[in-house]
Structure formats: C-alpha cells, structure tokens
Amino acid sequence: MRKNIIAGNWKMNKTPQESTQLVEETLQLLAKENIGETIVIFCPPFIALERVAGLVKGKKNIFAAAQNCHWEKSGAYTGEVSAAMIKAAGAAYVIIGHSERRLYFNETNEQLAKKVNAVLAEGLQPIYCCGEPLEVREANKHFELVAQQIKEGLFHLSKDDFSKVVIAYEPVWAIGTGKVASDEQAQEIHAYIRKLITEKYDAATAANTTIQYGGSMKPSNAKGLMSQPDVDGGLIGGAALVAADFVGIIKSA
Ligand code: 13P
C-alpha cells in the first residue's frame, strides 16, 4: 500500500551552512516523535545536496532529493546537473516539473518526460508535479490540464517504472499565497488523478501511487488535507524552512 510522503522543497533558500543547521534542527525534533511509516524528504538547493544526503544517510525513511535535473547523462550543458550526479551525491528522489520550473524556465511536458526517464534510469524516484494556474481553475479546465500534464509527462512509462513515481498535485494559485485548496478541492482532483492511473495501468498500481498535495500547507491545515482518502502527504515550501512547522506537518501525516 502507498506511503505518506512529506517532502520539504526549500526552493532557492539556504546556504550549505544553513542547510546543515535546518536539517539538524529538524532531525532533533523528529527524534522525539513517532512518525510511523511516513517518509520524510529534504530537497535543498544542489549546492547543499551532498551534505544534506550525508546528514540523513542510514536514517529510516528519511531521504534527500534534488529539485530538478537535466535529461542528458553528461555533456556541454552549462549550469545543468545530471541524474547520475544527483545519485552520486546521495539523493534518492528528484522533483520534476515544479510549476516554478514550468513557468519561469518554460519546461514542457515533453522535456519533463525525458527528465523522468533520466531519473528512473539512475534508479532514483521522480516526484512529478502537476497543477493548474488560477485562470485555468476559474475556467473550470483544471481536470483537463492536469490530465494532460500527467499523460504527457508520465504515461509513456511501463507499469513497473510508473510504480516508482510519486505525484505532487500543486495548484499554482495555492503556492506561496497562503490560499490553500480546501480539503474537498484537494480530494476531488487527487481522486481524479488516481482514476487516470487506474484507466492507464490498473487499480492496484493506482492504489499504490503516492499523490502529495502542495500549496500553502501548514501545521494548521495539514491534518484536514491529509486525512482525505486520496491525499498521501505533502510537498511543502515555506513551512519546510522552519523546523518546528515542518515537523508539525510530518506529525499530521
Ligand atoms: P508553499 O508551501 O510555500 O506554498 O510552496 C509549495 C510548493 O511549491 C512546494 O513545492
């Protein structure tokens, strides 16, 4: 059965030194809690990835992730980082297709499909992001857009490869805005995503896929969102930068 996964996406925040501090503080707080089978992931900037992976190495159900990667193995791609490098740094997951990458760096579903392949080829797990901007929700086209993002980015995969994918539904209008999706809005689209997976693969594959919610998740709203039957954890931005808040969310999973 699928697991709840709480991942802290730090975005472009924290120096290497500050990263060590935040992870150590978070681990100290976590040590006092019983978090059961919940998986916890830290997603620092590339420059701190190896040190963060080192800090969580060997800890049960705690991992490091990169926030992006290139689809090629190596070569003349100035400024880029490959999945093989991420693996060598000790990470286990890679966020692919965050809405900020789609919006500010023009990443397309076609490119994201190649990135997903590169991540899987290294034995890492992609956290594939989907979600609609406000105008798309207002036009009631969010199901259509999310279906397109999932189909074009993921549905070329074999059932075996797809079983390693984590999906994060992040409505763009809820990211960093303080406007969280209601429990019902989250449940509705998560159930829809699971239905798409059933139709493409099968019910067992769908039941085993972790689908996280992301967008202004905080300790105060985490429990309501994650108690929805199809919401399996969270991809956390701002609140992951404060150890007590991140742990508060993890405890709600
Ligand atoms: P916030 O939690 O800051 O809204 O960010 C969500 C997000 O984009 C995580 O990837």
Side-chain angles (χ1 to χ4, degrees):
M1 195 55 183
R2 62 186 179 265
K3 289 192 173 164
N4 280 324
I5 302 179
I6 308 289
N9 174 14
W10 297 0
K11 309 190 180 184
M12 197 172 71
N13 293 289
K14 303 293 174 188
T15 63
Q17 293 76 13
E18 290 166 346
S19 299
T20 298
Q21 239 177 343
L22 179 57
V23 171
E24 284 179 343
E25 203 185 326
T26 308
L27 292 179
Q28 269 168 20
L29 293 176
L30 270 182
K32 298 181 198 143
E33 307 293 339
N34 176 7
I35 61 164
E37 290 303 303
T38 300
I39 292 176
V40 176
I41 306 178
F42 296 101
C43 318
F46 279 131
I47 199 167
L49 187 57
E50 188 174 14
R51 75 163 64 196
V52 167
L55 289 167
V56 301
K57 194 172 175 189
K59 298 213 181 291
K60 183 173 174 266
N61 287 343
I62 307 184
F63 302 97
Q67 298 175 14
N68 177 33
C69 77
H70 196 271
W71 56 82
E72 293 292 346
K73 280 186 185 307
S74 61
Y77 301 99
T78 300
E80 293 293 326
V81 173
S82 73
M85 294 171 185
I86 290 167
K87 184 180 184 181
Y93 295 81
V94 186
I95 299 174
I96 297 293
H98 191 279
S99 63
E100 289 148 17
R101 304 272 341 153
R102 292 176 184 265
L103 182 65
Y104 303 132
F105 303 97
N106 301 316
E107 293 192 358
T108 63
N109 292 333
E110 194 187 350
Q111 290 172 328
L112 300 176
K114 290 199 279 181
K115 291 187 179 203
V116 166
N117 293 344
V119 168
L120 290 167
E122 290 300 332
L124 302 170
Q125 291 187 252
I127 300 175
Y128 181 83
C129 301
C130 60
E132 78 287 355
L134 183 61
E135 62 275 15
V136 173
R137 179 160 284 259
E138 284 176 345
N140 204 29
K141 295 255 190 297
H142 46 296
F143 292 106
E144 222 169 285
L145 182 76
V146 167
Q148 190 182 9
Q149 290 168 333
I150 300 268
K151 286 177 185 170
E152 293 181 4
L154 294 177
F155 279 1
H156 61 288
L157 295 174
S158 67
K159 189 157 75 171
D160 188 42
D161 274 344
F162 185 85
S163 70
K164 292 162 194 136
V165 172
V166 174
I167 292 176
Y169 167 69
E170 298 202 302
V172 179
W173 46 272
I175 295 178
T177 59
K179 277 190 214 149
V180 67
S182 70
D183 299 347
E184 296 72 26
Q185 283 173 323
Q187 169 56 25
E188 183 184 39
I189 198 140
H190 281 233
Y192 174 72
I193 293 168
R194 211 175 297 284
K195 182 165 85 74
L196 294 175
I197 301 167
T198 302
E199 285 164 6
K200 169 69 188 174
Y201 298 98
D202 53 37
T205 305
N208 282 324
T209 303
T210 294
I211 308 178
Q212 304 172 297
Y213 168 82
S216 295
M217 199 187 261
K218 300 181 187 62
S220 58
N221 58 32
K223 189 129 210 131
L225 287 159
M226 291 192 283
S227 57
Q228 299 302 311
D230 288 295
V231 178
D232 315 313
L235 185 53
I236 324 297
L241 300 173
V242 179
D245 287 352
F246 192 47
V247 172
I249 294 172
I250 295 165
K251 279 161 59 182
S252 306

